[in-house]
Amino acid sequence: MRLTYLAIALTKMEPDWWLEVDNTYLSRIAERRDLYDQHGTLVLDYLPGSELACKEIMEMCLQFYCARYPNLFSLSSDKMTFINKLTKEDTNLRAMHPLLVLLRNVPEDFAIVLRNETDGLYYFRAGVICSSLGWNVSTKIGMALKDIHKPIPDYKEKMAFSMDRYFTKMPTDAPIQRGSWGLEVGTPLFMPPGHPHEKLREIQKEGLSVEDCYLRVDWQTLRRLPLSAGVAFNFKALFTPVAEFRDEPYIPALLLKILKEGKKSLMEYKNTWHVEHVCIPALEAYDEEQRAKGWVKPENAGEEAW
């Protein structure tokens, strides 16, 4: 568990670890295929003008897989068939939309934004997103970044103009990354508006156990596409049981500091209230235990963790 999981600052991305294949690969691929079968354009859609960018990000992902994991993935001699030894499937790249190829082979979400030459703003033009909470592709596609991010505290005042300007100047050889975090009951991946799991965010459930609570981190990367000049976001939801923080020095103190002292508007947006009645007492106990064992300094543990 890295401390950077709790940060929101942009950092340089390590290219070799752009798309990781782990022991959840097959289960995530199966889950994403099921979500698409159930929800269609709620998780995958694209608008006219995004064709080149979609093809470009697909090719970059498949080429990365083949170079990074040559024993698991390869391309046919004519480069038109993707061979996946994990799923034991061959994909005809001529016969399937690029985003569907990604959905069926890469357990990461992708969103493509393109610049509108009329107003200079970036708009969400295509995406395959199976890990959205409280929204989905159909509710955001076609929107400008500034409108997509309206619910985020301080975005309009502090970030809206600079974000579009940053994307305009973003080079193709400098991908970046960041983490966005939250606390959840269980491990909900896809939760569109009206999903039954949303009800759990409205109450402090009686009998809830800390073992039922997870830190969810959406680990995100951003890169400029060299041919289409679009910007591609990709992100993957990672879940860590809060109970595991008992053995992570300084993490309980850091998370407690954020929960207790975080900016009110930001914490309301994060919506951690529904698990705080369970997580705060547990984290306080973990912090006291770590202090007693000498794992952390007796004072300023939260500040040290920063």
Side-chain angles (χ1 to χ4, degrees), residues 40-57:
T41 56
L42 298 188
V43 299
L44 188 157
D45 204 359
Y46 42 89
L47 297 178
S50 66
E51 294 85 359
L52 176 58
C54 291
K55 184 173 184 290
E56 192 174 8
I57 191 63

Side-chain angles (χ1 to χ4, degrees), residues 73-116:
F73 309 103
S74 60
L75 289 166
S76 60
S77 57
D78 64 359
K79 311 299 182 186
M80 288 294 106
T81 301
F82 179 66
I83 302 162
N84 186 330
K85 293 182 180 179
L86 288 175
T87 62
K88 299 179 173 57
E89 293 177 346
D90 296 348
T91 301
N92 182 346
L93 302 182
R94 293 189 183 95
M96 192 176 293
H97 190 276
L99 293 185
L100 191 53
V101 173
L102 291 178
L103 173 100
R104 297 184 61 81
N105 291 281
V106 180
E108 307 245 358
D109 285 343
F110 296 88
I112 296 170
V113 298
L114 295 170
R115 187 171 185 266
N116 183 308

